[in-house]
Amino acid sequence: MQIKGIKKGRNIELFDNIDIPDGQEISLSIETGGEFWQRLKSFRQELNAEGIWIEPDVFDGVRDSSSGQEVIL
């Protein structure tokens, strides 16, 4: 089971309801954000394991190539 939550002080608020009775002992594995490259590597490994291939041209034209707005300081 994988669930997400957010730490608030000494408590962890879960985003989803879980079907575990009160008083039941549980074990947590904590993952923090900011591990982009490791997560990307894991994602790619999952795709490879499933035999899924995304053609590079799928992402053509997705990103705006303009220089953006002028910033006046």
Side-chain angles (χ1 to χ4, degrees):
M1 175 188 315
Q2 182 177 7
I3 57 171
K4 292 185 178 183
I6 188 166
K7 179 184 172 286
K8 293 185 176 183
R10 294 190 62 187
N11 298 315
I12 298 175
E13 182 179 319
L14 304 179
F15 295 148
D16 300 313
N17 290 327
I18 55 175
D19 189 22
I20 298 175
D22 288 349
Q24 175 73 38
E25 184 175 319
I26 61 171
S27 175
L28 300 175
S29 174
I30 306 295
E31 293 183 26
T32 60
E35 301 162 355
F36 175 78
W37 293 113
Q38 180 59 39
R39 292 174 187 264
L40 179 60
K41 182 180 175 183
S42 296
F43 173 73
R44 289 178 174 168
Q45 288 173 344
E46 287 178 36
L47 289 181
N48 287 337
E50 295 288 328
I52 299 171
W53 172 253
I54 299 175
E55 296 293 334
D57 63 344
V58 167
F59 299 105
D60 286 349
V62 172
R63 185 172 180 169
D64 185 357
S65 61
S66 68
S67 60
Q69 297 180 347
E70 181 181 349
V71 177
I72 300 172
L73 300 174

